């Protein structure tokens, strides 16, 4: 195959995900990924720094998406509402390819190294939202509480969504991730209202 094969990045990512699911992240080599994609190791390293990056390469795009969504929230939106809007749109992004997201989650969950990397990524997501809130004039402490609280709600919704068998819906048909995120955010706000805020 030619070295400028179209969609090399996508093919490498798909091949890697399949191999990670079959034989585990630790046991899979870059050589195997490149061969499964019909490409060379050199091509792999043109697109990814290492085999972990195949699972995390969209992080920069996600950071921009979250920051932009917070920045574009109406001026009248509270910090929590701005974060909620950002996380719902983020959920819609995941919803576009649920099968791939679930396969990726299974691979990450099976590896201590990848789970640690995922935590670093989530911290970066929170920081991006904090920075965007501060640009809107939100004080640091309030921005941090809104971003971290919103991200906690997102993680609960995401875990529920990933664990739900594809094609199944709950009694209210709310298995789309953005709706689950909205519900988790509402429950968090109700919980704080019921027990008083910090």
């Amino acid at each position: 195959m030619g070295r400028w094969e179209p969609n090399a990045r996508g093919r490498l990512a798909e091949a890697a995900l399949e191999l990670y699911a079959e034989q585990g992240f630790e046991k899979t080599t870059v050589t195997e990924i490149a061969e499964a994609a019909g490409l060379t190791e050199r091509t792999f390293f043109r697109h990814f720094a290492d085999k972990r990056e195949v699972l995390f390469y969209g992080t920069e795009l996600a950071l921009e998406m979250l920051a932009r969504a917070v920045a574009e929230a109406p001026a009248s939106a509270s910090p929590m509402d701005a974060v909620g809007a950002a996380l719902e749109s983020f959920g819609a992004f995941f919803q576009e390819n649920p099968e791939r997201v679930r396969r990726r989650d299974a691979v990450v969950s099976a590896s201590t190294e990848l789970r640690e990397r995922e935590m670093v990524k989530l911290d970066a997501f929170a920081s991006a939202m904090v920075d965007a809130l501060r640009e809107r004039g939100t004080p640091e402490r309030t921005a941090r509480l809104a971003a971290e609280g919103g991200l906690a709600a997102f993680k609960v919704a995401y875990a529920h969504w990933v664990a739900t068998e594809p094609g199944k819906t709950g009694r209210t048909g709310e298995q789309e991730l953005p709706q689950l995120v909205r519900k988790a955010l509402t429950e968090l706000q109700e919980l704080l209202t019921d027990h008083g805020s910090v």
Side-chain angles (χ1 to χ4, degrees):
M1 294 194 176
R3 71 183 185 133
W4 301 115
E5 189 69 29
N7 196 26
R9 176 181 281 253
R11 287 168 49 203
L12 288 164
E14 188 59 30
L17 196 54
E18 287 181 18
L19 287 168
Y20 295 162
E22 289 172 13
Q23 60 193 33
F25 171 78
E26 288 79 8
K27 293 181 181 177
T28 301
T29 67
V30 168
T31 301
E32 289 174 317
I33 296 168
E35 287 177 356
L39 299 165
T40 65
E41 279 188 67
R42 186 173 179 174
T43 300
F44 178 94
F45 287 115
R46 270 205 304 270
H47 292 280
F48 302 107
D50 57 43
K51 68 179 190 174
R52 292 179 309 171
E53 285 305 307
V54 176
L55 298 166
F56 295 95
Y57 73 88
T59 299
E60 290 302 317
L61 176 65
L63 291 170
E64 291 173 15
M65 181 188 307
L66 288 168
R68 184 173 60 249
V70 169
E72 292 176 354
S76 60
S78 70
M80 202 69 212
D81 287 340
V83 166
L87 292 171
E88 283 183 49
S89 67
F90 196 42
F93 173 73
F94 281 106
Q95 192 71 50
E96 291 175 10
N97 194 345
E99 180 188 346
R100 185 181 192 287
V101 173
R102 287 183 171 101
R103 287 191 296 148
R104 179 196 174 277
D105 184 77
V107 170
V108 171
S109 296
S111 166
T112 300
E113 176 185 354
L114 295 176
R115 286 196 310 272
E116 290 173 356
R117 179 67 177 270
E118 187 88 330
M119 294 302 293
V120 170
K121 181 186 80 171
L122 291 172
D123 188 57
F125 290 169
S127 293
M129 290 189 290
V130 168
D131 291 344
L133 286 169
R134 292 188 69 198
E135 286 290 320
R136 291 170 59 93
T138 305
E140 167 75 28
R141 178 180 164 91
T142 303
R144 179 66 58 185
L145 284 169
E148 295 286 356
L151 200 53
F154 180 88
K155 286 163 59 178
V156 169
Y158 176 83
H160 176 77
W161 178 73
V162 165
T164 302
E165 186 179 339
K168 302 285 185 184
T169 58
R171 288 174 298 181
T172 58
E174 59 191 1
Q175 295 307 310
E176 296 286 308
L177 185 53
Q179 286 73 34
L180 289 171
V181 170
R182 186 179 309 121
K183 181 181 179 188
L185 288 164
T186 299
E187 289 176 353
L188 175 62
Q189 290 177 324
E190 288 172 353
L191 182 66
L192 293 173
T193 299
D194 289 345
H195 294 91
S197 57
V198 175

